[in-house]
Amino acid sequence: GENVEQHPSTLSVQEGDSAVIKCTYSDSASNYFPWYKQELGKRPQLIIDIRSNVGEKKDQRIAVTLNKTAKHFSLHITETQPEDSAVYFCAASAGGTSYGKLTFGQGTILTVHP
Amino acid sequence: GAGVSQSPSNKVTEKGKDVELRCDPISGHTALYWYRQRLGQGLEFLIYFQGNSAPDKSGLPSDRFSAERTGESVSTLTIQRTQQEDSAVYLCASSLRASYNEQFFGPGTRLTVL
């Protein structure tokens, strides 16, 4: 089955710096890669996603890049703000009959210091 | 509309008892998902439904776990003969359809098995 590895497990940055979180996946059939943000005690919320026919996608200060050959994808947050502090999860969805199944990484605790 | 709702929000039970967790998806969402999140961990896929069918049950940890969905709406996750290792937050999510759509999460049910 699919395995998703996420690094780093914790990331501490100063306000205004950039933050990068990387994920690798094992199933070459995976073709949908969402990123979720989970604030303490809250439910996960989608912040950006990318599909396998796209190499990069941006939404304001957030961008995701995908390298299908290397089977890795990354989240980039620029001009970080204290409210970006949260746990971030990457995920991968396989094709075929399991396209509804998301396999999540273990999460990255991002702390943005004012 | 309302978002995904789950009940109860908290459940404390004794080892060996059965528990039922309920999920009400967003109206019109045909796909519904169950995840488990242990403290400080990522989201672990349990099962998903497209309509009332469950194409992938591969994440159910044991035969003590079962889930059903009726009327393409409410879903119930049942854990029989609960064990202490079942303690976790159980999250439900729904999406318009299973293929590559944003999953909207509920607030979760925190299950504690004493």
Side-chain angles (χ1 to χ4, degrees):
Chain A
E2 175 72 280
N3 183 51
V4 177
E5 298 284 339
Q6 183 172 346
H7 300 281
S9 55
T10 61
L11 180 59
S12 183
V13 299
Q14 289 296 126
E15 183 177 1
D17 287 350
S18 294
V20 180
I21 302 170
K22 299 182 179 181
C23 289
T24 60
Y25 61 97
S26 60
D27 188 348
S28 57
S30 290
N31 47 23
Y32 174 62
F33 307 91
W35 286 87
Y36 282 83
K37 175 183 180 182
Q38 187 175 30
E39 297 177 359
L40 189 63
K42 302 284 184 66
R43 67 193 77 184
Q45 290 192 304
L46 180 76
I47 55 171
I48 196 167
D49 57 12
I50 191 167
R51 305 185 194 285
S52 62
N53 58 342
V54 177
E56 183 176 3
K57 183 177 178 180
K58 287 184 179 180
D59 183 4
Q60 299 183 347
R61 297 186 296 108
I62 294 172
V64 57
T65 58
L66 171 65
N67 183 327
K68 285 218 77 180
T69 302
K71 290 192 283 189
H72 67 69
F73 56 112
S74 300
L75 178 71
H76 304 252
I77 306 174
T78 58
E79 300 172 25
T80 53
Q81 301 166 4
E83 51 265 38
D84 294 330
S85 297
V87 182
Y88 291 80
F89 293 99
C90 63
S93 175
T97 58
S98 293
Y99 53 71
K101 175 181 178 180
L102 283 180
T103 301
F104 282 81
Q106 288 301 299
T108 296
I109 302 172
L110 174 64
T111 304
V112 180
H113 299 282
Chain B
V4 178
S5 62
Q6 292 185 245
S7 60
S9 55
N10 280 284
K11 177 71 176 178
V12 180
T13 191
E14 294 179 347
K15 178 181 172 181
K17 301 282 189 182
D18 298 351
V19 296
E20 282 191 354
L21 312 180
R22 177 188 169 108
C23 173
D24 284 87
I26 294 173
S27 178
H29 280 194
T30 65
L32 185 148
Y33 315 79
W34 284 100
Y35 295 92
R36 178 168 70 178
Q37 187 173 32
R38 291 197 168 104
L39 188 63
Q41 301 292 311
L43 282 74
E44 177 187 4
F45 170 84
L46 298 178
I47 188 172
Y48 86 92
F49 292 89
Q50 176 60 58
N52 293 330
S53 300
D56 194 327
K57 304 179 183 180
S58 62
L60 293 177
S62 73
D63 58 8
R64 296 187 295 106
F65 288 72
S66 63
E68 65 175 16
R69 188 181 186 196
T70 55
E72 295 196 358
S73 181
V74 173
S75 176
T76 302
L77 177 69
T78 301
I79 309 173
Q80 295 179 309
R81 306 181 301 282
T82 51
Q83 304 293 313
Q84 288 184 331
E85 62 262 29
D86 299 335
S87 296
V89 175
Y90 290 81
L91 288 160
C92 173
S94 70
S95 65
L96 279 173
R97 61 184 189 278
S99 54
Y100 322 143
N101 271 284
E102 176 179 358
Q103 295 186 18
F104 294 84
F105 283 83
T109 294
R110 182 175 298 278
L111 175 65
T112 302
V113 182
L114 301 177

